[in-house]
Amino acid sequence: MIADHGSDAMFVAGGTDLYPNMKRRQQTPKIVIGLAHLDKLRRVQGKPQTGLVLGAGLTLSEVVEDRRVVKKYPAVAQAAELISTPLLRNMGTIGGNLLLDTRCNYYDQNYEWRKAIHFCMKKDGEICWVAPSSPRCWAVQSSDCAPLMVAIGAKVKLVSSSGGHLSERLIPAAELYNDDGIQHLNKRPDELLTEIHLPAVDTNGSNGNGWRATYWKLRRRGSFDFPVLGVAAWLRLAGDGTVEAARIILGGVGSHPIEARVSEQAILGKKLDEETIEQAAAAAYPTAKPLDNTDFAMSWRKDMARYYVSGTLRELAGLPPRFPKTGGGNGAGLRVLSD
Ligand SMILES: Cc1cc2nc3c(=O)[nH]c(=O)nc-3n(C[C@H](O)[C@H](O)[C@H](O)COP(=O)(O)OP(=O)(O)OC[C@H]3O[C@@H](n4cnc5c(N)ncnc54)[C@H](O)[C@@H]3O)c2cc1C
Ligand code: SF4
């Protein structure tokens, strides 16, 4: 069907992102191709020792409740569980979450609202209201699972039947995203996301010499809200606790999941003590470049990046937390506690 209808058509899985966007006429496909009945997209295959494969059509609730995911990939279950509400997690899929549209205060409004400001570059207009002299759109990557999948080095399988023959490609999750609020996905409209390949886990003991990961989310309320900052951290430690490999990914502060390379460099080859962690956290501050197009003041979100990087690394190092993990409330409490 997608090969027949091209860019007139869009896939829909749970519809929890696409249908609200269609109601607001932000996305206007003529044909919607439902995926919910495709059982093959709702399978969990493989095993943790070699890498679990999640079907893109698994609902977020199914991911959160899968025993293999909970036991061997707790960070994946954590990130998925922080999304929205139980009802939406029963409908929304893990694939739809990775392909979530980028968000912006000037875009996620109804048609009349957007019309009143003559629309914007992302849909129907010409200017960017966030950065009027900018030639590009800065809408924000707002999926909770995207930074985590990039951090743990997951891969995604994209399948197409365009041109009359079946083709597929398996790419690192990091390559799925572009730093552009409009062309935010490195994926053609005819490509179906079928599988998410999680990396193999070390099964020699609880933490062994394997990798560990976590995800922290900042939002106004303790439930329901999209992230205005998400930090996913992944580490591989040597037997003596030295950091052998690290990926720290910032979500919600740019149009794509941003790798905090200077923070990673600050901990590589070192043991995760208080001083090293604070150096990595300080380096996250210039890396996060939020603009004024989501909830909360952008300067505060930028500031919070360092506290959240510190929080994720402290958790992975087994150090006591300085403030709660999933920021609900107005955030002021977090500032006081962390100071
Ligand atoms: C009130 C509310 C709060 C929310 N809060 C959060 C939140 O805190 N964090 C968060 O991350 N998300 C949040 N969401 C967004 C959404 O619910 C989730 O991201 C959900 O996982 C999207 O999945 P879906 O299956 O419903 O996607 P859909 O709406 O079905 O699809 C989303 C996009 O992906 C495409 N697509 C879906 N599946 C495939 C596939 N297999 N292959 C190719 N293309 C596909 C669709 O064409 C569409 O472009 C929220 C939504 C609402 C309404
Ligand atoms: S960042 Fe600018 S162009 Fe993009 S959605 Fe927001 S206002 Fe529109």
Side-chain angles (χ1 to χ4, degrees):
M1 286 174 75
I2 197 91
D4 287 347
H5 297 288
S7 55
D8 279 348
M10 280 181 81
F11 294 117
V12 65
T16 63
D17 181 45
L18 182 64
Y19 288 152
N21 285 2
M22 287 175 69
K23 284 184 196 168
R24 295 186 293 245
R25 282 174 269 171
Q26 294 156 263
Q27 290 176 306
T28 50
K30 294 199 178 95
I31 293 152
V32 173
I33 303 172
L35 303 174
H37 62 292
L38 295 180
D39 291 339
K40 283 185 179 169
L41 291 185
R42 294 185 75 158
R43 295 185 301 202
V44 180
Q45 299 178 85
K47 47 187 180 179
Q49 291 93 318
T50 48
L52 211 59
V53 178
L54 303 180
L58 287 164
T59 65
L60 295 165
S61 298
E62 285 167 340
V63 171
V64 169
E65 285 161 15
D66 188 280
R67 282 185 57 246
R68 291 155 291 188
V69 176
V70 173
K71 277 185 82 175
K72 298 296 181 187
Y73 302 91
V76 173
Q78 257 171 32
E81 193 165 22
L82 288 171
I83 293 169
S84 193
T85 66
L87 292 177
L88 284 159
R89 290 197 295 274
N90 287 344
M91 288 297 293
T93 62
I94 182 85
N97 185 246
L98 294 182
L99 302 175
L100 186 72
D101 193 10
T102 50
R103 297 181 61 80
C104 172
N105 285 345
Y106 295 89
Y107 170 71
D108 292 298
Q109 305 288 349
N110 65 37
Y111 183 82
E112 289 72 23
W113 193 103
R114 291 187 295 114
K115 188 177 175 193
I117 60 161
H118 306 292
F119 303 102
C120 79
M121 194 188 290
K122 186 159 159 74
K123 177 70 178 152
D124 298 327
E126 284 166 16
I127 196 170
C128 171
W129 292 108
V130 178
S133 58
S134 168
R136 58 161 283 192
C137 163
W138 298 88
V140 180
Q141 178 273 307
S142 305
S143 151
D144 281 300
C145 290
L148 197 262
M149 292 300 178
V150 173
I152 67 174
K155 293 184 175 164
V156 294
K157 187 185 274 189
L158 299 166
V159 177
S160 167
S161 63
S162 191
H165 64 277
L166 207 62
S167 65
E168 61 180 46
R169 57 188 181 118
L170 186 65
I171 58 168
E175 288 179 19
L176 185 58
Y177 302 103
N178 294 324
D179 185 10
D180 186 286
I182 298 172
Q183 301 298 334
H184 60 104
L185 292 174
N186 173 21
K187 171 189 144 348
R188 295 191 313 271
D190 59 277
E191 286 181 307
L192 178 71
L193 172 61
T194 55
E195 292 172 352
I196 298 128
H197 291 233
L198 305 180
V201 294
D202 178 14
T203 50
N204 305 326
S206 53
N207 275 321
N209 293 337
W211 58 268
R212 56 186 76 178
T214 189
Y215 176 71
W216 283 39
K217 169 175 182 171
L218 179 67
R219 55 183 163 180
R220 185 174 290 272
R221 295 170 286 188
S223 74
F224 210 89
D225 287 329
F226 282 90
V228 292
L229 166 70
V231 176
W234 170 95
L235 301 177
R236 203 177 63 237
L237 301 180
D240 66 354
T242 305
V243 179
E244 283 183 340
R247 269 192 300 269
I248 301 171
I249 309 294
L250 309 183
V253 285
S255 296
H256 70 144
I258 299 171
E259 185 161 5
R261 291 183 200 277
V262 185
S263 300
E264 294 166 358
Q265 288 302 323
I267 56 173
L268 277 174
K270 298 182 188 159
K271 291 189 179 162
L272 278 180
D273 55 24
E274 302 259 357
E275 192 185 336
T276 315
I277 289 176
E278 286 322 302
Q279 282 168 2
Y285 181 75
T287 307
K289 293 189 173 66
L291 292 177
D292 195 11
N293 57 350
T294 68
D295 194 9
F296 285 132
M298 62 180 179
S299 55
W300 186 75
R301 284 162 59 214
K302 184 174 171 71
D303 207 16
M304 287 306 290
R306 68 175 130 205
Y307 295 113
Y308 268 48
V309 167
S310 162
T312 54
L313 295 179
R314 290 180 74 86
E315 181 191 326
L316 296 180
L319 293 169
R322 287 207 183 135
F323 50 79
K325 178 168 181 163
T326 60
N330 62 11
L334 299 181
R335 170 73 69 90
V336 171
L337 278 167
S338 60
D339 282 344

